Amino acid sequence: MADYSRREVTQTWVEYTLPNPTNWGQINRLISVIQYELGDRADWDDAVQVVGRDEEIVFRWEKETRDD
């Protein structure tokens, strides 16, 4: 008999976007908002992904979920 398990995983991403191109001041403001929202996680090198698209720049991270 096979030993296996089944699970379903749902990921939730938090995203902030800025128009592309944008100015340095807007990026700094958004980084401040993200740092506040992430708290201690903001110090992690890989806490936030930055994705450049044609019309926008996306700052995103995976939302932590807790099984309480």
Side-chain angles (χ1 to χ4, degrees):
M1 179 172 206
D3 291 328
Y4 64 87
S5 61
R6 179 185 185 278
R7 63 179 149 201
E8 294 183 22
V9 178
T10 303
Q11 291 179 306
T12 302
W13 291 90
V14 176
E15 293 187 344
Y16 283 92
T17 63
L18 288 171
N20 187 16
T22 192
N23 64 57
W24 185 241
Q26 292 297 323
I27 293 171
N28 277 330
R29 285 186 198 98
L30 180 54
I31 288 172
S32 293
V33 168
I34 292 171
Q35 287 174 328
Y36 177 78
E37 193 165 333
L38 286 177
D40 292 340
R41 286 182 63 196
D43 293 334
W44 300 357
D45 288 341
D46 60 351
V48 177
Q49 294 179 355
V50 181
V51 181
R53 299 194 176 132
D54 289 339
E55 300 294 323
E56 64 185 4
I57 303 167
V58 180
F59 295 77
R60 71 181 191 175
W61 64 91
E62 189 174 349
K63 186 174 183 180
E64 290 185 324
T65 56
R66 297 198 173 129
D67 296 333
D68 292 327

